[in-house]
Structures are given as structure tokens and as C-alpha cells.
Amino acid sequence: MAVLPIVRLGHPQLRTPAEALEPEHLATAEVQAFIDDMIDTMREAGGVGLAAPQVACGWQIFIYELASDDPEVEIPLTVVVNPMVESAVRELEEDWEGCLSIPDLRGLVPRHAEVRLRALDRHGEPLDYVAYDFEARVIQHEFDHLNGVIFLDRMRDFRSLAFMDEWREYLASEDSDVLDEAVE
Ligand code: NI
């Protein structure tokens, strides 16, 4: 297991759509070791999500996890392969996001509050579930990475863009539900 370097905005992989994995390839030691490395990398960075293009890999894999003592808040480690994401609700809700590949910035990003995710898990078993609110936001952010899209592309208005220190000082509210891939 190893911590991989996280690439930043400007690296071409972040703008390259990822490719689906054949189930036989997913089962190989190479891909399974890569998934373990992604988990190490996300935890080392203190992130809640990580997509393969962020470690310069072009496979359709993302992972997410929110560790918390509060079972209402906690999101268990989830490994998502070859995902399809759709939303039945048209309304979008804005909330704050950050990204490990765009360090130190936060902005308000509109997202669906509910999404249905269909994918494979790391063992090639089907995943099919509906996620809400913060988890739905994480899924949309990470799914975007697999399509070469970053959160800045989703912002309606760059006037909310802020550096972390200034965000904390001037913009954070106690009820803001932040998706910051590097949760401090
Ligand atoms: Ni990101």
C-alpha cells in the first residue's frame, strides 16, 4: 500500500474522461492494489473523496468516506467502479465545495440533493442506491472527475470563490454543510 501523489489543476488527466474497467481487469491484483493505494491516499490527505484521475489514472473509479463519531454523519468507505449517476429531482441546491486537486479554494456549487448511483463495487458486485444531501454532493463531485469536470465548471458565479482562511473568517456559517475534499 502506498500514498500516491495527487495531481493539481493543469494536469491533463483531470480534463480527460476516464475509461470503464472490464470486470476481469477489476479483479486483477494490479487494480485491487491501486484501489488500496487510493484509500491510503484519501485518508492521508484527510479527504472525504478521491477519484482516479486525481492520482493521474484514467480508470472509472472513485472512493469516498466520512469518518465521524456521529453515526448520523458518518459515511462508510465506499468504492465505486464504472458509475452511472442520475437524478430524479430537477432542483439544485448550492453549498460549499473544495477539491484536493484545487488546494485552498472553496466555492458555492449547485448540485442535486438526491441522486441514484448504479455502479460496481471493488469485487465487481452491483451497487444500486439513492443518496441524499451531503453524500449525493460527494458522489456528483467525484463522478464529475471521471468526466474531466471540476467543481469550478459547475459554479454559477465565481464571486463566492474564496481562499480557505478568508472563507473561515468571513463566509463560514455554523450550518454550512461543506464538501471539502481536504477536511481539516
Ligand atoms: Ni475534487
Side-chain angles (χ1 to χ4, degrees):
M1 304 233 276
V3 172
L4 305 168
I6 295 172
V7 302
R8 303 197 304 176
L9 192 60
H11 192 292
Q13 193 74 59
L14 291 173
R15 292 307 195 174
T16 306
E19 294 187 4
L21 276 159
E22 296 295 330
E24 309 78 58
H25 191 194
L26 174 59
T28 61
E30 178 200 13
V31 176
Q32 292 297 313
F34 173 73
I35 291 170
D36 288 334
D37 290 348
M38 281 185 70
I39 294 166
D40 281 358
T41 303
M42 176 179 71
R43 289 176 173 166
E44 171 74 17
V48 297
L50 186 72
Q54 294 185 274
V55 287
C57 168
W59 295 329
Q60 288 182 14
I61 302 173
F62 69 75
I63 62 174
Y64 64 93
E65 173 181 49
L66 181 57
S68 173
D69 296 333
D70 182 350
E72 300 263 298
V73 171
E74 182 183 23
I75 301 173
L77 176 65
T78 307
V79 177
V80 175
V81 179
N82 298 349
M84 294 282 294
V85 174
E86 60 187 33
S87 184
V89 293
R90 278 181 52 204
E91 299 78 38
L92 295 165
E93 292 180 4
E94 284 202 324
D95 222 323
W96 296 99
E97 296 189 18
C99 181
L100 291 172
S101 296
I102 311 168
D104 208 31
L105 282 174
R106 280 178 176 169
L108 281 174
V109 183
R111 299 285 188 187
H112 298 289
E114 177 186 328
V115 291
R116 180 177 179 188
L117 181 141
R118 278 175 284 188
L120 301 178
D121 70 10
R122 68 181 297 171
H123 307 295
E125 298 296 324
L127 294 174
D128 185 350
Y129 56 89
V130 176
Y132 302 91
D133 302 320
F134 185 75
E135 185 176 1
R137 180 169 292 276
V138 176
I139 288 169
Q140 288 165 90
H141 179 114
E142 302 308 333
F143 182 64
D144 270 354
H145 276 304
L146 301 187
N147 293 298
V149 173
I150 58 164
F151 83 84
L152 299 176
D153 305 337
R154 297 288 188 193
M155 290 178 68
R156 289 180 174 133
D157 182 342
F158 290 125
R159 282 178 293 183
S160 68
L161 206 56
F163 288 105
M164 216 72 93
D165 287 348
E166 283 72 11
W167 180 85
R168 262 190 228 101
E169 186 165 354
Y170 302 112
L171 299 168
S173 67
E174 279 182 11
D175 61 349
S176 31
D177 205 11
V178 182
L179 167 55
D180 181 2
E181 280 186 344
V183 174
E184 61 280 354

